[in-house]
Amino acid sequence: MTDVNMGYAARERLGEILVRTGMITPYQLQQALEIARMDNSLIGRVLVEKGWLATHDLATALSIQMGMPLIDLKKHKVRTEAMKLVPEQLVRKYNVLPLDIIGGSLTLVMENVMDVQAIDDIAAVSKLRIEPVIGFADDIRSAIDRNYTIRGQTMNETAASLAYGKETLEAGEDTLEDTEAPALRNLDMIIQQAVRSRASDIHIEPKEDRLQIRFRIDGILQDVMSFPMDNHAALISRLKVMGGMNIAEKRRPQDGRFSATVDDKDIDVRVACANTVHGEMSVMRLLIKSALMLDLTALGFLSDTLERYERMLKLPFGIILLGGPTGSGKTTTLYASISRLNRVQLNIMTIEDPVEYELEGINQVQVNIKAGVDFSSSLRAFMRLDPDVILVGEIRDVETARIAIQAAITGHLVFSSVHANDAVSIMSRLIDLGVEPFFLCSALAGTVSQRIVRRICPHCREPYKPTVEERLAYQKEMDEPPPELLKGAGCNVCSGTGYLGRVGIFELLLPTEEVKRLLLDGASADRIREQAINDGMVPLMNDGMIKVKRGMTTISEVIRYVFY
């Protein structure tokens, strides 16, 4: 902690600051002093371990006590020249960050400004006098992840600390062992940086004169780096070995998967390769198990919409259909829904292509076309396995649709997804596939259309005046002028984008008797939609603008993702 080697009197002075600023109570200070005196511990450590004091508050108090500036790394720019003087291994060891070089001194942001060993080691490496300043411990760790990236590094520099699953190592240990070692290090660094950047996908794309690496972060592709084409063949070969693919096959598309661990996070990596005019490209989908949101309340449902959706989940039978384009979060919502139902009294079975996450207590089946395991055949088999809840990854054909509808009618709760733009179009899509309207009305519990929009960064959000187009779009949907709106100004945490993370926007349709009658009569989608809105459905655009009003996202994000 930051008060290492402080004497007892110094600890009392720190305690006085903490009490005076209201961070702790006098009783908590007295208890901490007694404990620190008995085991020669540190008052800051005691207060934090007892849960009486946050590390941020401790750093603030120490900056007051020692008269040192408290650096906010969310806003301060880290100078590349300073970073180059201290290797990543050393900054992670001591949790420090080189910030700037001023007057022949290296400004060093430290969690523990009294750590003489850290100051001496970094002074020896940088060959500069160290000027320590205080920073928040968590902010320093995050800033190290952001700034010590593989941008500007050569492809054959130091390997990252990434471990692969046992089965992956065994698959590759006798293949390309020596020649592929640099490629393995390169792959390590790319995956590690992608995880630290919150990327969902890694694109490795050969161009005419370079190898381009791009990350998809918060749904947007970002150009991360480019490397010489000399590295392309070895990198793709290594990736194929890790994914269990045929390294000799370069013409036909292939896919595979492997597991990895980055910063104590378990990751499943899905790999796809395809040949282009400049050579094979590859895309890796990163599935971080700890990042999967299985709580419906965290997905972005408005309270009224969530209440209605949870009522659907309590139905004993029926089919719940989710719609939206690829990448709109349908799988996440489906997983969160069946996780809400997951208990020992229920047999929950899924058929997916592919199984993205393994859920404890749920029987999951992977589609395997070569082995004859597809959605329709698996659904038939499920009916003999006494299921209570069934999840079908996607309804793509009339046979799968009819079996799913039949399962819903005969006493099972069925979940599935359909590619459709809105909640009404989901029903129209099934009818287009060949499902009779009568059976659909009998089985349907409800439909949900969804999108994912980027959240405004909480660290740099500020008021702004919307453009004329944005004002008109908001006023048209909400029938009122826009209130004071927020946007992200751009900071270190959000990499200057103004957005950090994503939130869902939803359109939930519960089929009332009026909606069912219109569906049976063959009414137009516009007429059914009008009736659904009259019955309480909140349209996608309206749901998005409510989140704009609450400062969660921006008008431009909603307009970009919501279309009919």
Side-chain angles (χ1 to χ4, degrees):
M1 300 301 294
T2 47
D3 51 346
V4 171
N5 297 328
M6 286 186 180
Y8 185 65
R11 291 203 298 270
E12 286 187 310
R13 289 196 297 272
L14 175 62
E16 290 168 4
I17 294 171
L18 293 170
V19 171
R20 175 167 53 80
T21 54
M23 297 179 186
I24 61 172
T25 66
Y27 172 78
Q28 290 170 337
L29 172 60
Q30 187 61 40
Q31 291 294 307
L33 287 170
E34 290 297 326
I35 296 170
R37 182 187 294 117
M38 283 190 298
D39 65 2
N40 197 29
S41 185
L42 309 169
I43 185 174
R45 180 176 297 163
V46 170
L47 289 166
V48 171
E49 289 178 353
K50 286 287 187 180
W52 295 336
L53 183 68
T55 54
H56 274 48
D57 291 338
L58 177 58
T60 303
L62 281 164
S63 71
I64 296 171
Q65 182 196 29
M66 305 185 73
M68 283 187 177
L70 180 60
I71 301 298
D72 185 354
L73 288 171
K74 297 181 180 72
K75 298 178 181 178
H76 273 73
K77 184 175 178 60
V78 178
R79 301 294 177 185
T80 305
E81 296 77 12
M83 266 177 39
K84 288 180 178 178
L85 294 175
V86 188
E88 180 179 357
Q89 183 180 4
L90 205 56
V91 299
R92 290 193 183 278
K93 177 181 177 180
Y94 293 117
N95 197 35
V96 299
L97 185 72
L99 188 68
D100 203 352
I101 302 172
I102 302 174
S105 296
L106 177 64
T107 303
L108 189 68
V109 185
M110 305 182 69
E111 170 191 0
N112 180 356
V113 293
M114 304 294 290
D115 191 342
V116 178
Q117 185 66 51
I119 292 174
D120 288 346
D121 286 354
I122 293 171
V125 170
S126 65
K127 296 180 172 53
L128 291 174
R129 188 171 62 85
I130 303 302
E131 188 67 37
V133 293
I134 296 175
F136 298 129
D138 293 341
D139 285 0
I140 294 173
R141 279 187 285 270
S142 299
I144 292 171
D145 289 344
R146 286 196 306 272
N147 290 284
Y148 277 85
T149 69
I150 52 179
R151 292 177 188 266
Q153 294 187 26
T154 61
M155 286 293 280
N156 295 324
E157 286 187 347
T158 308
S161 56
L162 184 150
Y164 293 104
K166 180 181 177 183
E167 69 283 354
T168 305
L169 290 174
E170 290 175 349
E173 70 184 355
D174 295 325
T175 310
L176 306 170
E177 191 169 321
D178 296 323
T179 58
E180 292 299 303
L184 178 58
R185 290 196 295 269
N186 301 337
L187 187 60
D188 284 356
M189 289 190 292
I190 291 170
I191 294 176
Q192 184 179 42
Q193 187 55 45
V195 172
R196 290 174 177 172
S197 301
R198 303 179 297 104
S200 60
D201 300 86
I202 302 170
H203 289 233
I204 301 176
E205 303 168 343
K207 304 301 180 184
E208 185 175 1
D209 58 349
R210 72 190 191 283
L211 182 64
Q212 184 180 41
I213 310 295
R214 296 197 289 173
F215 294 166
R216 188 176 294 277
I217 302 173
D218 292 336
I220 304 296
L221 272 175
Q222 298 181 15
D223 191 2
V224 179
M225 71 205 82
S226 295
F227 294 114
M229 277 295 290
D230 295 346
N231 301 280
H232 174 244
L235 188 60
I236 294 295
S237 294
R238 185 68 230 179
L239 194 55
K240 285 183 175 181
V241 169
M242 306 302 287
M245 294 179 275
N246 181 1
I247 63 172
E249 177 57 69
K250 298 182 179 180
R251 294 174 298 177
R252 291 188 302 175
Q254 297 186 75
D255 58 80
R257 67 190 305 161
F258 60 88
S259 61
T261 302
V262 178
D263 298 337
D264 297 325
K265 296 177 182 176
D266 293 327
I267 302 165
D268 284 331
V269 184
R270 288 209 326 250
V271 190
C273 294
N275 201 22
T276 71
V277 292
H278 296 300
E280 285 184 283
M281 70 168 288
S282 178
V283 174
M284 288 178 274
R285 169 64 58 88
L286 306 180
L287 304 171
I288 304 174
K289 298 173 184 178
S290 60
L292 178 62
M293 286 192 294
L294 297 179
D295 183 3
L296 285 171
T297 57
L299 297 181
F301 281 101
L302 297 176
S303 56
D304 291 346
T305 306
L306 179 60
E307 182 182 349
R308 299 172 74 198
Y309 186 71
E310 288 182 324
R311 284 207 305 269
M312 281 200 306
L313 299 184
K314 294 177 182 178
L315 295 173
F317 61 87
I319 186 167
I320 298 172
L321 296 169
L322 273 68
T326 301
S328 60
K330 300 187 296 295
T331 300
T332 300
T333 304
L334 287 171
Y335 277 172
S337 300
I338 61 174
S339 294
R340 178 65 65 93
L341 299 171
N342 191 10
R343 53 185 181 273
V344 70
Q345 294 89 350
L346 295 179
N347 177 20
I348 302 177
M349 304 195 67
T350 77
I351 172 67
E352 305 170 59
D353 183 21
V355 174
E356 293 197 6
Y357 293 94
E358 295 182 12
L359 304 176
E360 187 176 353
I362 293 175
N363 301 303
Q364 296 172 270
V365 176
Q366 168 88 41
V367 165
N368 187 338
I369 300 299
K370 292 181 180 178
V373 180
D374 56 19
F375 286 117
S376 57
S377 63
S378 297
L379 267 177
R380 287 197 197 91
F382 283 5
M383 303 307 291
R384 297 187 291 274
L385 295 172
D386 189 30
D388 297 291
V389 179
I390 299 171
L391 186 153
V392 185
E394 184 181 346
I395 292 179
R396 301 172 179 170
D397 56 74
V398 63
E399 187 176 10
T400 303
R402 284 175 173 167
I403 298 171
I405 293 292
Q406 184 179 2
I409 292 174
T410 55
H412 305 86
L413 187 59
V414 180
F415 294 85
S416 192
S417 67
V418 178
H419 282 287
N421 286 336
D422 58 71
V424 174
S425 298
I426 294 173
M427 299 186 294
S428 302
R429 173 64 178 151
L430 287 190
I431 293 172
D432 291 343
L433 281 174
V435 175
E436 293 80 1
F438 174 79
F439 286 111
L440 179 60
C441 289
S442 300
L444 190 63
T447 64
V448 179
S449 180
Q450 69 176 85
R451 304 287 190 275
I452 302 182
V453 296
R454 291 182 293 174
R455 281 184 182 269
I456 298 171
C457 176
H459 304 291
C460 62
R461 60 183 180 183
E462 61 182 20
Y464 86 107
K465 290 185 178 181
T467 65
V468 174
E469 292 80 5
E470 289 175 335
R471 289 181 63 87
L472 290 174
Y474 182 93
Q475 192 156 352
K476 178 181 178 182
E477 189 61 38
M478 302 294 284
D479 198 26
E480 64 181 29
E484 182 179 78
L485 300 179
L486 300 175
K487 72 170 184 177
C491 64
N492 292 336
V493 177
C494 63
S495 301
T497 64
Y499 297 98
L500 188 67
R502 293 193 286 177
V503 64
I505 55 178
F506 300 90
E507 179 178 272
L508 172 63
L509 188 155
L510 296 178
T512 60
E513 291 302 320
E514 291 79 6
V515 167
K516 290 180 181 179
R517 179 176 53 78
L518 291 171
L519 197 62
L520 290 171
D521 291 344
S524 67
D526 288 342
R527 178 68 187 91
I528 297 174
R529 180 176 181 79
E530 181 184 346
Q531 182 62 51
I533 292 172
N534 291 337
D535 292 339
M537 182 182 80
V538 178
L540 266 176
M541 183 67 78
N542 193 270
D543 188 90
M545 292 302 178
I546 291 173
K547 292 179 171 70
V548 168
K549 187 175 183 178
R550 295 182 180 180
M552 300 169 69
T553 189
T554 60
I555 296 174
S556 59
E557 274 293 289
V558 175
I559 293 173
R560 186 152 71 96
Y561 284 101
V562 178
F563 53 89
Y564 295 112

